[in-house]
Amino acid sequence: MRVQVVHYQQSTAVRTTNSRLLARPDPKRSTTVNSTPARTPPPSKNADTLNPPASTLPPPLTLPTRDPAEYRLTFYFRTGKAYLIFYKSGVKAIYHNYTLVRQIRPRLTGTPSLEQALRDGVLSRAEYHLVRRTRSDVSRIPLFALVLLVCGEFTPLVVIFMGLSGVVPRTCHIPRQIERAQRKAERRRGESFRQGTVPLTTTRTTGGEGVAAAAEAAAAGGTGLEDVQGLPKPILAHVGRSLGLYSSLWDRVGVTPTILLPRRIREAVERIDVDDLAIRREGGVKGLSEGELKLAAEARGLDVVGKPSGSLTSLLDMWMQARKRTSIIDLLSRRPSAWPQH
């Protein structure tokens, strides 16, 4: 019996050794594979630092199609369920983004603002927008949760037709809601242009000291941040409308909130300025994803509805070139066809 046990152990050892030898790669074959250069380049670092995670944008919305023999009530129930699944995915994305922001937060200790952290290279562009969007989404969760709890499957109808888009986190914006907001913003911007605005660089001799200083900054390709307070009222109003910095209710009563606008415009211009810097630093306009292209164009007061990605890329390239010759406020006061390029 002892001999049999020994014999079994030896045979097992032999089989184990043989299996290891068979599993060992052939040196010649390994050399051949390793010597072949990789045809696919490694992932670009810019792709990770330029575009924030896709979880900061709304997830895909898949709606059911109605069968002719299906009862309307059944179809509406399935549609409402699809919206609830969409909203649930959006809320989960906020939580996921929040966990990512918690990992970034220690690096922000001692920085006066997110914009300064991006300017100094403490944050990448992707991290900057991740933090900003997550903060905004988290602040909207309590009120949105209340609306969702009360309205349930009817939440999309309530949000769209009652104008409650402001309480909905970005990750829970449905496509129709997004397009409706874009069309409204572009219509308001177009009306402002039709009312007539004077480009900043033409006000050098007609305005006061603040306007002249801002015009000098525009000619030097600066931002004009320091001289927002001295801008003429028409330019303040137009920039505010173009970027959606104040409610359209003010326009209906014929009043421009000039007390609020300088600070809001200064903050918006600073965000655009550091974003321009980050885009140039981390890959350029062509590295932006389709979703980020639209958001970047919207943030600069540009129309996006119905425009393909190639057109938006060219438009943002024009913006970047014009920034070398004039200020952000001057560009916001002109149509793209009037931007200086040479």
Side-chain angles (χ1 to χ4, degrees):
M1 185 67 179
R2 182 178 180 183
V3 175
Q4 290 178 353
V5 172
V6 172
H7 176 72
Y8 174 76
Q9 292 176 346
Q10 288 176 348
S11 62
T12 303
V14 170
R15 285 198 303 269
T16 304
T17 304
N18 290 338
S19 63
R20 290 177 178 175
L21 289 175
L22 290 174
R24 186 177 301 170
D26 186 356
K28 294 182 179 180
R29 186 171 300 175
S30 299
T31 304
T32 303
V33 172
N34 293 336
S35 63
T36 304
R39 296 184 180 274
T40 303
S44 172
K45 180 181 178 182
N46 295 331
D48 297 328
T49 61
L50 185 62
N51 298 300
S55 56
T56 61
L57 302 177
L61 173 61
T62 304
L63 295 177
T65 56
R66 187 189 174 198
D67 189 276
E70 185 180 18
Y71 288 108
R72 287 183 179 272
L73 187 60
T74 304
F75 171 70
Y76 292 149
F77 175 78
R78 294 197 298 121
T79 302
K81 186 177 180 181
Y83 277 114
L84 287 179
I85 293 174
F86 170 80
Y87 286 136
K88 183 178 179 180
S89 299
V91 173
K92 284 184 176 179
I94 296 175
Y95 177 75
H96 171 72
N97 295 336
Y98 179 73
T99 60
L100 296 178
V101 170
R102 289 182 62 184
Q103 301 174 14
I104 299 173
R105 192 176 298 164
R107 280 189 280 147
L108 298 176
T109 304
T111 56
S113 65
L114 288 178
E115 286 70 33
Q116 191 61 44
L118 179 60
R119 192 182 299 275
D120 294 341
V122 176
L123 294 179
S124 66
R125 182 182 184 274
E127 293 171 331
Y128 168 77
H129 284 288
L130 169 65
V131 175
R132 285 199 74 249
R133 294 174 190 176
T134 302
R135 285 181 177 178
S136 175
D137 289 342
V138 169
S139 67
R140 285 168 168 79
I141 282 183
L143 190 54
F144 175 68
L146 180 62
V147 173
L148 191 61
L149 181 64
V150 173
C151 302
E153 293 88 345
F154 298 99
T155 299
L157 298 177
V158 174
V159 167
I160 292 176
F161 295 108
M162 293 189 64
L164 297 181
S165 294
V167 307
V168 182
R170 179 188 295 271
T171 59
C172 297
H173 284 189
I174 62 176
R176 186 176 178 183
Q177 174 186 354
I178 295 173
E179 184 176 355
R180 185 185 179 96
Q182 290 172 343
R183 290 187 182 278
K184 181 180 179 181
E186 292 179 12
R187 185 167 55 249
R188 187 184 185 196
R189 188 180 304 124
E191 291 173 356
S192 183
F193 270 119
R194 284 190 290 273
Q195 291 177 8
T197 59
V198 181
L200 183 61
T201 50
T202 64
T203 61
R204 185 190 308 269
T205 58
T206 59
E209 294 183 359
V211 176
E216 292 289 346
T223 62
L225 271 174
E226 299 80 2
D227 306 291
V228 170
Q229 195 71 39
L231 291 175
K233 183 178 177 180
I235 293 183
L236 281 175
H238 172 72
V239 173
R241 295 190 198 104
S242 184
L243 298 182
L245 300 180
Y246 68 96
S247 173
S248 58
L249 293 176
W250 290 95
D251 295 334
R252 296 177 186 177
V253 298
V255 176
T256 301
T258 52
I259 297 178
L260 302 175
L261 277 178
R263 179 182 61 83
R264 293 182 180 181
I265 290 177
R266 187 180 296 107
E267 292 173 353
V269 168
E270 184 180 9
R271 289 194 297 268
I272 295 173
D273 183 47
V274 296
D275 196 47
D276 286 348
L277 171 65
I279 290 175
R280 288 193 297 266
R281 183 178 65 196
E282 297 172 17
V285 172
K286 291 181 174 58
L288 292 172
S289 64
E290 182 177 357
E292 291 302 318
L293 272 173
K294 290 185 177 181
L295 291 177
E298 286 183 67
R300 289 157 179 78
L302 304 175
D303 296 345
V304 299
V305 175
K307 293 188 177 181
S309 298
S311 176
L312 293 177
T313 300
S314 300
L315 200 57
L316 286 175
D317 271 331
M318 288 175 56
W319 171 280
M320 292 296 185
Q321 292 301 319
R323 275 296 317 277
K324 300 176 182 178
R325 298 170 179 83
T326 189
S327 71
I328 293 174
I329 295 178
D330 189 35
L331 292 179
L332 292 173
S333 65
R334 302 169 181 254
R335 294 185 182 273
S337 58
W339 290 347
Q341 296 296 324
H342 302 289

